[in-house]
Amino acid sequence: MDRSATTRQDARRAAVPGRVLRELGAQVLWDNWTGASTVPSRELYPHQWSWDSAFIAIGLRHLSPLRAQLELETLLRAQWGDGRVPHIVFNDAVPLDAYFPSPDFWRSTTAGRAAGAPAEVQTSGIVQPPAHALAAWLVHRADPGLSRARSFLARLRPRLAAWHRYLLCARDAGGAGLAVVVHPWEQGMDNSPCWDGPLSRVEPADPAAYRRADLDHGAPEDRPTDLDYGRYVRLAEAYRDRRYADAEGPGAFAVEDPAFNALLIVSEYALALIERELAADGLDEFDDAELAESADERRGRADTLTKTLVDRLWDPRRGLFLCRDLRAPGRDGELVPERGVTGLIPLVLPGLDRDITATLVRTACGPHFGLEGPARLVPSYDLTGPDFDPRRYWRGPAWFNTNWLLEKGLRLHGDHPRADGLRDALLEAAVTSGFAEYVDPYTARGSGARGFGWTAALALDLLLDDSRSGRGGLLGEEVWS
């Protein structure tokens, strides 16, 4: 890193005092707390979201380990009988017209009955990236005494094991071991140009049949187009009308995504650590024998899945991982050529080949993503791509969760100077944008919701986490022992 870049980082540290950031970030989380969980945004997202809660718990552990535990416990109480963790848990005190698709669209208690949807709470029927075992492990480590007193890991372990089994079995549509997503909302990067090809085969729903609540709180130029939204609605309707069944195979959209599977692999490593911890405490018995696996079995699967991820999704010519569209022509579908930040996220994997990690860093720093160059933060989509838009949802803006993951990946693989620079840029952007949902990657100008839950939580984690010098990345030194 050159001297001028170092000077800029020093200036940014001085511009964002840690005490101020801590107070402001904490206030966002307190304001968004409902008593049992945290909403991403009071106005735009007034319910509980699955991967949001995982990231929020990671930040909350620094302020209140108890609230962080409750965050995950509340989410996992809404788990379905088949193991899936729904992407939204609805608050029945929120009016139906405050968010679309609302509970009366998903009809989980009726359409999801055969898949084991809970009767006492309404949820969506699709999922989101599985960062929950990772979050549970980090929350436990924040206060092991409280965790053991509340049997936190012992109570969550069977739910996390069932969740992973669902993804590894019911969602292995490609037959190679990777989980597929059946809707762009499941991958979390909803509006990415990576989905344009797979979505082009989907006939959009009639726009007169529903009303988009997101446009009440977000500028149209920041949000998905009506055409894309209509396709999202059509896919969700079709899955609901099939009663959320996976046995017959996915519908019109079936994609193996690198970030989704990288988070599943990291969470398998985390679940291995949870298994080891419980075994050490003499709590390694399982009521459900089908879910029982040792720490070594979990870790072995994570290692195997890492190799599978490389075999199926790595593109050495482009220098990153690509999505695989299983519905495209060919026995195994085809790789989607679009460069999205999803293709950089496997940098968080501890078992990734050194040459691949070096290539990923070069790609992140090259013209397509601009790290340490023109971009303040890594964009969600290729800066040089024909569909790049610095404002529109996941089509170019930088997001705090993906940049947080990249910071952890850089640090895991020993690139501390770049990790430090990205950390400083994230902290500055969080405060100056008002903890925005996402920002322009060049200017860090905020868009979407303000006071956004995971932005505040992950900024707090970057500020307060004291394990930055370790080589264990997200999981700490333990993953190597």
Side-chain angles (χ1 to χ4, degrees), residues 45 185 190-192 212 214-215 219-230 232 391-395 438:
Y45 305 104
W185 289 340
D190 310 2
N191 198 37
S192 170
R212 293 181 59 178
D214 63 315
L215 297 181
E221 59 270 22
D222 293 348
R223 305 296 299 170
T225 65
D226 286 340
L227 175 61
D228 286 332
Y229 211 91
Y232 304 154
R391 288 194 61 179
R392 195 176 292 279
Y393 203 65
W394 289 108
R395 301 185 78 83
Y438 49 95

Side-chain angles (χ1 to χ4, degrees), residues 151-164:
S151 301
F152 173 66
L153 290 183
R155 288 185 292 107
L156 259 61
R157 186 259 304 266
R159 293 183 178 273
L160 294 170
W163 170 217
H164 287 203

Side-chain angles (χ1 to χ4, degrees), residues 218-435:
E221 59 270 22
D222 293 348
R223 305 296 299 170
T225 65
D226 286 340
L227 175 61
D228 286 332
Y229 211 91
R231 286 172 168 151
Y232 304 154
V233 172
R234 176 70 74 195
L235 278 174
E237 285 177 336
Y239 194 37
R240 177 199 66 199
D241 293 346
R242 293 188 356 246
R243 298 188 177 277
Y244 303 111
D246 297 301
E248 300 172 3
F253 185 96
V255 174
E256 292 176 348
D257 174 76
F260 190 100
N261 281 281
L263 285 171
L264 175 57
I265 294 167
V266 168
S267 277
E268 273 288 289
Y269 282 122
L271 196 46
L273 294 172
I274 290 170
E275 297 286 4
R276 190 178 70 179
E277 183 85 357
L278 292 173
D281 291 341
L283 300 171
D284 54 347
E285 293 186 3
F286 246 111
D287 291 335
D288 186 343
E290 291 185 5
L291 296 176
E293 291 192 66
S294 70
D296 288 343
E297 289 172 320
R298 293 273 177 203
R299 180 166 174 160
R301 178 183 293 114
D303 291 341
T304 299
L305 287 172
T306 300
K307 294 182 177 69
T308 304
L309 188 76
V310 173
D311 290 343
R312 288 186 66 80
L313 304 184
W314 174 246
D315 186 329
R317 185 170 65 87
R318 287 182 173 82
L320 80 169
F321 291 85
L322 299 178
C323 301
R324 181 174 292 276
D325 177 7
L326 294 182
R327 285 289 177 255
R331 184 174 64 87
D332 276 336
E334 62 185 27
L335 293 175
V336 177
E338 301 290 348
R339 293 178 173 91
V341 72
T342 182
L344 300 177
I345 299 302
L347 193 63
V348 301
L349 297 177
L352 208 58
D353 181 84
R354 184 174 299 177
D355 290 340
I356 291 178
T357 62
T359 302
L360 285 172
V361 174
R362 285 196 298 273
T363 300
C365 295
H368 300 292
F369 294 97
L371 179 63
E372 289 193 311
R376 293 193 187 184
L377 296 175
V378 176
S380 51
Y381 175 65
D382 183 358
L383 294 169
T384 70
D387 296 302
F388 172 76
D389 185 331
R391 288 194 61 179
R392 195 176 292 279
Y393 203 65
W394 289 108
R395 301 185 78 83
W399 289 71
F400 289 86
N401 64 331
T402 55
N403 276 268
W404 178 84
L405 287 165
L406 292 176
E407 192 269 355
K408 299 297 184 183
L410 290 166
R411 204 170 296 285
L412 164 65
H413 296 289
D415 198 338
H416 294 287
R418 284 195 178 94
D420 289 341
L422 184 54
R423 172 183 178 269
D424 294 340
L426 279 162
L427 295 180
E428 180 190 34
V431 173
T432 58
S433 71
F435 298 94

